[in-house]
């Protein structure tokens, strides 16, 4: 029984890639899709423009002013909108299906390109290195 449950959970976590349409960009690392709803994009963390606690944390970590953090957050959101909004993407799962906020966790591919890699190249996102279990942990610059 336990083995069957573990196998079932493993299969769910590594479900086949699915196609979906991006309806909206909540920010640079979170999107809303037609089928899955809210999706947190794996491997990246973009700047925040609304959460005061996160803005202060990002100011300290990156030696930036509040205005600079908010500007980078807006640029990250715009990058997401320009790159993903209204387009068909491929969503791929990893070891966890959802985060603590019940968002679906997925890698996002647009035209066979990894969105996380694209936004990391712009410096509008940083690698999200808290989850060492993700498959692309080191590929995104985490050590």
């Amino acid at each position: 029984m336990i083995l069957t449950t573990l196998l079932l959970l493993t299969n769910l976590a590594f479900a086949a890639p699915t196609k979906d349409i991006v309806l909206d960009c909540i920010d640079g690392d979170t999107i809303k899709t037609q089928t899955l709803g809210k999706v947190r994009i794996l491997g990246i963390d973009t700047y925040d423009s609304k959460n005061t606690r996160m803005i202060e944390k990002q100011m300290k970590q990156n030696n930036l002013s509040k205005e600079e953090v908010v500007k980078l957050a807006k640029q990250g959101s715009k990058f997401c909108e320009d790159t993903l909004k209204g387009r068909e993407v491929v969503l791929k799962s990893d070891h966890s299906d959802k985060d603590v906020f019940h968002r679906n966790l997925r890698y996002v591919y647009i035209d066979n390109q990894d969105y996380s890699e694209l936004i990391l190249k712009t410096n509008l996102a940083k690698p999200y290195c808290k989850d060492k279990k993700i498959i692309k942990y080191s590929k995104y610059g985490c050590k």
Side-chain angles (χ1 to χ4, degrees):
M1 178 69 168
I2 293 172
L3 181 58
T4 304
T5 304
L6 286 173
L7 288 173
L8 181 63
L9 289 173
T10 301
N11 288 337
L12 287 174
F14 295 100
T18 58
K19 291 183 179 181
D20 209 338
I21 303 291
V22 176
L23 301 176
D24 197 15
C25 292
I26 296 163
D27 56 28
D29 58 26
T30 308
I31 58 176
K32 183 177 180 185
T33 68
Q34 191 170 37
T35 306
L36 273 185
K38 208 178 246 192
V39 175
R40 174 64 164 85
I41 301 170
L42 284 167
I44 57 171
D45 190 26
T46 58
Y47 294 91
D48 204 300
S49 65
K50 297 175 185 121
N51 182 324
T52 304
R53 185 182 57 79
M54 285 304 297
I55 292 171
E56 289 173 0
K57 181 179 176 183
Q58 292 168 337
M59 288 169 56
K60 237 181 236 183
Q61 287 176 336
N62 300 290
N63 197 28
L64 297 170
S65 69
K66 180 178 180 180
E67 292 76 23
E68 290 170 315
V69 169
V70 171
K71 181 180 178 183
L72 288 166
K74 290 179 179 178
Q75 290 174 339
S77 293
K78 182 166 179 3
F79 182 85
C80 180
E81 289 171 6
D82 293 346
T83 308
L84 302 177
K85 191 172 180 180
R87 300 196 52 203
E88 183 178 77
V89 296
V90 174
L91 303 173
K92 294 183 181 180
S93 62
D94 202 313
H95 71 93
S96 288
D97 191 50
K98 294 190 183 272
D99 67 7
V100 295
F101 303 107
H102 307 289
R103 297 175 295 190
N104 296 287
L105 298 172
R106 298 291 186 277
Y107 296 107
V108 177
Y109 293 85
I110 182 76
D111 299 329
N112 293 318
Q113 296 182 325
D114 182 343
Y115 172 80
S116 295
E117 289 180 17
L118 293 174
I119 196 167
L120 283 168
K121 287 177 186 175
T122 68
N123 292 320
L124 295 173
K126 297 205 176 271
Y128 182 79
C129 298
K130 290 182 182 175
D131 187 353
K132 295 180 180 184
K133 294 179 185 175
I134 68 167
I135 294 168
K136 295 188 169 195
Y137 183 80
S138 60
K139 185 170 186 164
Y140 293 144
C142 298
K143 297 175 184 179

